[in-house]
Amino acid sequence: MRVLVVGGGVAGAAVAYFAARGGARVTIVDAGEHAASHVPSALLNPVRGQSGGVDERALEGLALTWALVRELEGAGWRVPHGQAGVLRPVPDERTRARFVRHLPPALPHRWLTPEAFPVPLAPGWPQALWLPEGGWLDGAALCTALLGASGAEVMRGRAVAWDAHSVTLEGGTVLRGDAVVWCGGAVGAGWAGEAGTHRAGTLLTLERPATPLPVSFGAYLAPGAGGTGVLGATFEAPTPTWHPPTLPAPSLRWLLDRGGALTDLRGVRVTGRWSGTRLSGLVAGRQASGVWRLSGLGSKGFLLGPLLARHVAGDVLRDGAA
Ligand SMILES: Cc1cc2nc3c(=O)[nH]c(=O)nc-3n(C[C@H](O)[C@H](O)[C@H](O)COP(=O)(O)OP(=O)(O)OC[C@H]3O[C@@H](n4cnc5c(N)ncnc54)[C@H](O)[C@@H]3O)c2cc1C
């Protein structure tokens, strides 16, 4: 069976990996631009945002992503990561009650008071939720490893049209296959002229981690590859269409303030920035057109992306065999 995948971010790379593992011959078309998945350090954090919501698939997704990282590293691919926990400070009792309401009993966690915080936080945080199974990973490295390990043929370029059995590239080349899976992310939705909910954000890359373990509330601090660190968040106002992400001066100030509210950032040098856009509105399955799709992973690209990709790839293969 030949599977054509549009997009080589975490969604497309993981679909390719699982489809190839299931015996398919996979070709990926990837423009290689504006991939949200190339976020320098992404959190694997099952307890989301300031609501503390936990997706019903979070535990399974977390376990699968870490298993995948181990599998890829075992096969010789390097995926910088740290599976040493995530700390979620909460500012008050109301927020804690909200978090508690969402916490599934099966999710390992502990509430800590300041004396027991595993990293020094800025003053004023009365408590924090410790999630020992969370962590961080290098998004681009995971995609590279998945693509490499899949053995898929990767074609650099932009797809301009697709249907259930073909993909047309800029320049007119037509690829044919038994199934087409669209995983174009926020930028692809923009190029396709689709309306959606796009949210842009920025990570400042730091010379060293501001905290040795990831810390997240409002913004996040995390270690990154090679002894570096990041301070980031997705915080720009949502827009219905995709725009190249920028970092306006007020956003930079906001981000630094949020980082400073988490821990003391004095002496931590900023070395650069990475900006990206994520798309909300999960779609995982076959569309009326016959094209399969995995998109709209929102802020949970690495928590749920591989898990949903495994489902989609499984359905594509079963359908092809029927
Ligand atoms: C600032 C920020 C921080 C984030 N932090 C986290 C985090 O901590 N944890 C977490 O789990 N998630 C995080 N996310 C979300 C996560 O990055 C996304 O959910 C995920 O990367 C989306 O993956 P994707 O494969 O759907 O899309 P993308 O990674 O955007 O990949 C799409 C790819 O398809 C290509 N493409 C699109 N259209 C075409 C076409 N027509 N032809 C050829 N190629 C095409 C693009 O060039 C791109 O390479 C963050 C996002 C941002 C912006």
Side-chain angles (χ1 to χ4, degrees):
M1 178 178 193
R2 186 178 189 200
V3 177
L4 308 176
V5 178
V6 177
V10 66
V15 165
Y17 180 80
F18 288 114
R21 219 168 65 171
R25 195 156 57 89
V26 182
T27 299
I28 295 203
V29 180
D30 184 38
E33 287 177 63
H34 300 294
S37 303
H38 290 184
V39 55
S41 178
L43 294 192
L44 278 187
N45 164 26
V47 177
R48 308 302 311 163
Q50 301 195 13
S51 68
V54 180
D55 190 281
E56 59 188 3
R57 297 155 295 196
L59 281 155
E60 202 188 345
L62 189 63
L64 179 70
T65 302
W66 287 135
L68 204 50
V69 168
R70 280 193 299 275
E71 199 169 293
L72 291 164
E73 290 223 316
W77 300 92
R78 216 174 79 75
V79 185
H81 69 282
Q83 189 183 356
V86 169
L87 189 68
R88 305 269 355 247
V90 295
D92 50 44
E93 277 303 325
R94 245 179 93 217
T95 312
R96 176 183 164 131
R98 215 164 48 225
F99 274 44
V100 167
R101 228 179 9 255
H102 292 300
L103 276 168
L107 177 66
H109 67 273
R110 225 159 1 114
W111 284 98
L112 305 177
T113 49
E115 318 76 70
F117 289 170
V119 298
L121 296 186
W125 296 99
Q127 54 204 322
L129 178 65
W130 173 238
L131 298 162
E133 296 192 352
W136 66 273
L137 58 76
D138 180 318
L142 178 66
C143 295
T144 302
L146 284 168
L147 289 174
S150 74
E153 175 191 19
V154 180
M155 299 183 71
R156 278 278 165 249
R158 203 191 284 192
V160 290
W162 44 88
D163 60 27
H165 297 292
S166 72
V167 173
T168 305
L169 308 185
E170 219 167 30
T173 304
V174 180
L175 308 176
R176 297 195 189 282
D178 302 294
V180 172
V181 189
W182 190 90
C183 302
V187 68
W191 288 337
E194 295 176 6
T197 305
H198 296 262
R199 294 204 71 180
T202 289
L203 269 71
L204 299 178
T205 50
L206 310 175
E207 189 177 28
R208 61 172 173 84
T211 51
L213 297 166
V215 178
S216 165
F217 193 86
Y220 67 92
L221 292 162
T228 61
V230 300
L231 161 61
T234 310
F235 50 90
E236 306 293 358
T239 57
T241 51
W242 181 84
H243 303 281
T246 56
L247 179 61
S251 299
L252 174 60
R253 167 77 12 236
W254 181 93
L255 188 54
L256 290 168
D257 286 349
R258 294 313 289 241
L262 289 172
T263 200
D264 186 354
L265 292 178
R266 280 174 301 179
V268 181
R269 206 167 64 83
V270 175
T271 53
R273 78 150 168 124
W274 175 91
S275 297
T277 307
R278 61 170 162 82
L279 178 69
S280 305
L282 180 66
V283 182
R286 187 165 37 195
Q287 307 296 280
S289 63
V291 174
W292 296 81
R293 179 166 175 140
L294 177 56
S295 71
L297 295 170
S299 62
K300 294 177 267 196
F302 297 92
L303 184 67
L304 298 185
L307 178 69
L308 294 167
R310 191 174 66 176
H311 286 309
V312 170
D315 288 348
V316 168
L317 296 179
R318 265 188 298 280
D319 187 66

